[in-house]
Amino acid sequence: MVNTEKERASLLFMQALVSRGSVDAVSHHMASHPQYLESFLRSQHYILHMDGPLPLPCRHYIAIMAAARHHCSYLVSLHSAHFLRVGGDPVWLQGLEAAPPRLRHLDHINKVLAHQPWLTACSHMQTLLKTGEQCWSLAELVQAVVLLAHCHSLCSFVFGSRADGLCDLAPFPKSPNSTPPAYCPCDTANGNANVPDITRRRSLDSSCEMLFLKERIQKSQEEREKREERLLHAHNTLQQTELEDEEETAVYSAEPSRFVSDPDFCYQEFARQEEDHFQVFRVQDYSWEDHGFSLVNRLYSDIGHLLDDRFRSVASLPSSHSPDLKRAIWNYIHCVLGIRYDDYDYGEVNQLLKGDMKLYIKAVACFPDDTKAPVCPLPWAPLKPSERIHVNLLIMEARLQAELLYALRAITQYMIA
């Protein structure tokens, strides 16, 4: 029934209208890649609304904590509104200190995963899982770290898309502590150290939503345009309703800093190899495919399949970028986060990614709240908007997988200790 990518995107918007009552700005920007958008929406809906050990208010509060680390007012406001809609206590939105101790205990692993994930250790997991009234179960902790990683990486997409000149995303403050470093770990790895580095919702497959899918899609362009006009009108009406609801929470959600402790903790350059301050994470020893996928799927049923589908979808999207270039972007992000592939020639990163492209990718992946066009210029002129979004999707998913690898490895170490 779906004959074009444009029609597929329209159907996904209809599904979102039924399940959530709105089409958010993030979905709008991802709509140029409907194949990926569908995968993204399924995983996000499952994490936030479907079966899982954490209550719905706690899930949205964890999302608020994660987004606040990057001063992402857009996501903090969005999840503050959802938090209240699912029965969350408004007092919690006064700040992190007003939250229950169990949630406050997540603050340390939240800031480490957000800014320096290579510091994630078995001891962090042991502290959260220790016996006591405020302890976490393994299943709860796995869902929590998936939520944290998902929202951290989504901040990268939000700010990266805004830096492209796209609209509708909240303005972002400048982080005074995040400045582009002067060298590239990939250069160091290849001996070029002096080279500069510039309550519960329906699922998307519910019978209610299927009513939209069963409607006959007319073939003529005129009828498609009419459908789009009706959809736009419905979206504007629902968006206005959502804005009115969010006005009620503005007093709580306007300032992300109230959900942040230790604001000076930020991204620092991963130690140069010769300094040996931190051990490089080698994928040959712990990988998503061989280790992380099975662990997360066992402790948080089905999420492994949904996340894996996202990783595969973003890698297989039609693009003018060559497979080598997409691989270089992915491996470069992992490299600056301390993750290495022994079977990859990192010289390809320097050959395929120009200096300003590397600077942009690193900034969006590592300190997205400091992403501004003058700081991180990107040669976007030759690229179509969908290609720009594709680069930001690659950045988001590579960062998501990196955080998951560090967190799941620490949980694995705790389990076998």
Side-chain angles (χ1 to χ4, degrees):
M1 294 175 62
V2 181
N3 297 319
T4 68
E5 292 292 275
K6 191 173 182 180
E7 290 173 342
R8 187 176 183 181
S10 295
L11 288 174
L12 288 171
F13 282 175
M14 291 178 184
Q15 292 175 326
L17 283 169
V18 172
S19 64
R20 301 197 304 275
S22 65
V23 180
D24 59 81
V26 169
S27 296
H28 272 297
H29 295 336
M30 292 181 182
S32 56
H33 298 288
Q35 173 189 343
Y36 173 82
L37 175 59
E38 184 173 9
S39 177
F40 172 84
L41 290 176
R42 287 183 184 279
S43 64
Q44 179 171 257
H45 185 81
Y46 186 86
I47 294 169
L48 292 172
H49 302 294
M50 301 303 290
D51 291 342
L54 292 176
L56 298 187
C58 288
R59 302 183 198 188
H60 288 290
Y61 199 85
I62 292 169
I64 293 169
M65 292 172 61
R69 285 307 316 184
H70 289 306
H71 311 286
C72 186
S73 298
Y74 172 78
L75 291 179
V76 170
S77 297
L78 184 68
H79 286 287
S80 293
H82 287 310
F83 172 80
L84 293 179
R85 290 184 188 131
V86 297
D89 186 345
V91 173
W92 297 11
L93 295 181
Q94 293 177 1
L96 191 59
E97 291 303 316
R102 269 179 101 242
L103 289 172
R104 295 203 305 270
H105 291 166
L106 274 181
D107 183 59
H108 184 77
I109 193 66
N110 178 31
K111 73 177 183 181
V112 168
L113 283 175
H115 304 297
Q116 300 179 42
W118 53 87
L119 296 180
T120 308
C122 174
S123 59
H124 298 146
M125 306 304 173
Q126 187 174 13
T127 299
L128 292 166
L129 294 166
K130 66 182 179 182
T131 304
E133 185 179 349
Q134 304 299 332
C135 71
W136 290 70
S137 70
L138 268 174
E140 289 174 328
L141 183 56
V142 167
Q143 185 176 18
V145 298
V146 169
L147 261 168
L148 292 173
H150 168 77
C151 291
H152 293 155
S153 61
L154 188 55
C155 287
S156 289
F157 182 82
V158 168
F159 286 118
S161 297
R162 182 67 178 86
D164 292 347
L166 297 174
C167 60
D168 296 329
L169 298 184
F172 42 88
K174 178 176 176 61
S175 171
N177 298 314
S178 298
T179 55
Y183 84 101
C184 167
C186 294
D187 296 325
T188 303
N190 288 282
N192 300 322
N194 295 323
V195 179
D197 179 14
I198 306 277
T199 285
R200 195 158 299 184
R201 306 284 187 179
R202 298 180 183 90
S203 73
L204 291 177
D205 290 326
S206 67
S207 58
C208 183
E209 295 168 336
M210 288 303 293
L211 293 176
F212 285 110
L213 297 178
K214 291 178 180 179
E215 293 178 356
R216 181 179 302 276
I217 299 177
Q218 303 299 326
K219 295 182 180 181
S220 68
Q221 178 62 30
E222 181 180 352
E223 290 176 346
R224 284 202 299 269
E225 290 175 354
K226 289 180 180 179
R227 287 199 304 274
E228 290 169 4
E229 289 176 3
R230 290 196 298 269
L231 177 62
L232 179 60
H233 176 73
H235 167 57
N236 289 338
T237 302
L238 288 166
Q239 188 176 51
Q240 180 61 36
T241 301
E242 184 176 60
L243 288 174
E244 291 173 357
D245 291 341
E246 289 183 359
E247 285 178 359
E248 299 175 2
T249 66
V251 66
Y252 301 118
S253 59
E255 183 49 64
S257 62
R258 70 182 64 201
F259 303 102
V260 175
S261 68
D262 193 7
D264 293 332
F265 188 90
C266 60
Y267 175 79
Q268 299 292 332
E269 194 71 42
F270 185 78
R272 297 172 189 256
Q273 202 168 29
E274 62 267 25
E275 293 175 352
D276 199 29
H277 286 174
F278 305 105
Q279 184 176 0
V280 171
F281 187 119
R282 300 201 176 277
V283 174
Q284 283 67 26
D285 298 329
Y286 196 96
S287 68
W288 167 256
E289 295 81 3
D290 297 332
H291 306 91
F293 171 83
S294 59
L295 176 65
V296 74
N297 226 35
R298 177 158 56 94
L299 294 174
Y300 185 13
S301 179
D302 293 332
I303 192 61
H305 292 293
L306 293 169
L307 292 172
D308 196 60
D309 186 54
R310 279 175 59 172
F311 299 147
R312 295 177 185 274
S313 292
V314 76
S316 62
L317 286 178
S319 172
S320 62
H321 304 313
S322 69
D324 289 343
L325 179 60
K326 290 191 285 187
R327 184 66 177 170
I329 293 173
W330 188 279
N331 286 359
Y332 175 61
I333 294 167
H334 280 196
C335 181
V336 298
L337 294 175
I339 299 174
R340 298 286 176 83
Y341 296 79
D342 288 345
D343 57 354
Y344 182 73
D345 178 9
Y346 284 89
E348 290 188 8
V349 170
N350 298 322
Q351 294 172 8
L352 296 172
L353 300 180
K354 302 300 183 181
D356 51 358
M357 176 71 86
K358 288 163 65 178
L359 175 59
Y360 174 85
I361 291 170
K362 187 170 188 176
V364 173
C366 300
F367 34 91
D369 43 320
D370 194 34
T371 300
K372 292 188 177 180
V375 177
C376 306
L378 195 58
W380 279 140
L383 296 180
K384 298 178 181 178
S386 63
E387 297 298 331
R388 304 174 190 177
I389 293 298
H390 191 188
V391 171
N392 284 312
L393 292 177
L394 283 168
I395 295 172
M396 177 175 71
E397 293 300 327
R399 179 182 178 181
L400 171 63
Q401 188 179 98
E403 288 194 29
L404 288 174
L405 284 174
Y406 278 112
L408 295 174
R409 184 182 67 169
I411 292 174
T412 299
Q413 291 170 343
Y414 167 81
M415 294 173 65
I416 64 178

